[in-house]
Amino acid sequence: MRIVLMGPPGAGKGTQAARLAARAGVPHISTGDMFRQAVREGTPLGLEAKGYMDRGALVPDEVTIGIVRERLRQEDAARGFVFDGFPRTTVQAEALDRILAELERPLEAAVELVVPDAEIVRRLAGRRVCPQCGATYHVEFQPPARPGVCDRCGAELAQRPDDREETVRERLAVYRRQTAPLVDYYRAAGILVQVDGTGAVDAVTASVLEALR
Ligand code: ADP
Ligand code: AMP
């Protein structure tokens, strides 16, 4: 499986990417998770990324493309990958095409999770994440067994700083301006797959798998 998952913040990319990647035995590559880890560890990459993330802006293309190029060199990515949150600009999409062409492993599909705005706002407002292992929950739609506690590792769940209302507005605007045009990019390439992302988590996974067959 060599795919990218697209859709606005809160569409369910992370949730679906984790499930699809586990099923296919390939890595789930989330540039957002990579940046958040770098911020936690206080690395130079993290220090650079943090300012952009806090205001809901995109990290510069050359930085983002650099970390993806490195990640694709790792052995596990030879089996395939599920990208989540990358690419987010036309420059990134073109760079990904070039990197994959060099590796002779082109993308098989770009899957767009289609979710209306009102639902996006509810999903982001209720999203909770585990700061320790990265697991994602929703207070109403995907609650942990014990409120506020991670099922996987027992850590205390938190809200992402960029899920605050003002930052969400900016992230959605950035999505429309810079990332939504990629739908046409992948349609023109003949690999766009659009899936209704509004059903239950299991139903969406089933729809993606069906659409990829
Ligand atoms: P993205 O990675 O696209 O930003 P997430 O996978 O983090 O989105 O999902 C955003 C929020 O919506 C999370 O709180 C998640 O638990 C919840 N969620 C994901 N998929 C669904 C779904 N099909 N139905 C209801 N809630 C969902
Ligand atoms: P995400 O976890 O995908 O919602 O990403 C969180 C934040 O990380 C974004 O709002 C950006 O600031 C940054 N980020 C993640 N992926 C990218 C990318 N492909 N290009 C630029 N910035 C990104």
Side-chain angles (χ1 to χ4, degrees), residues 136-202:
T136 297
Y137 300 88
H138 189 284
V139 289
E140 194 183 333
F141 308 135
Q142 268 189 297
R146 281 178 55 206
V149 179
C150 181
D151 290 344
R152 269 208 275 174
C153 74
E156 193 180 331
L157 301 180
Q159 187 164 29
R160 268 172 54 173
D162 60 350
D163 277 348
R164 280 185 308 246
E165 200 183 322
E166 277 165 41
T167 320
V168 163
R169 263 201 298 278
E170 177 59 18
R171 286 164 61 211
L172 288 172
V174 165
Y175 176 78
R176 288 199 192 93
R177 199 164 58 232
Q178 295 186 263
T179 308
L182 291 184
V183 170
D184 286 336
Y185 179 91
Y186 287 120
R187 185 181 287 119
I191 58 168
L192 178 68
V193 173
Q194 288 172 305
V195 172
D196 176 2
T198 57
V201 172
D202 281 343

Side-chain angles (χ1 to χ4, degrees), residues 37-56:
Q37 186 181 353
V39 169
R40 268 199 307 280
E41 292 171 353
T43 64
L45 171 69
L47 293 178
E48 178 169 9
K50 187 174 186 318
Y52 297 101
M53 295 170 82
D54 283 349
R55 38 174 220 280

Side-chain angles (χ1 to χ4, degrees), residues 31-32 35-36 53 57-59 64 85-86 88 92 160 171:
T31 42
F35 289 136
R36 276 184 291 277
M53 295 170 82
L58 295 184
V59 176
T64 307
F86 179 90
R88 265 179 154 95
Q92 292 179 14
R160 268 172 54 173
R171 286 164 61 211

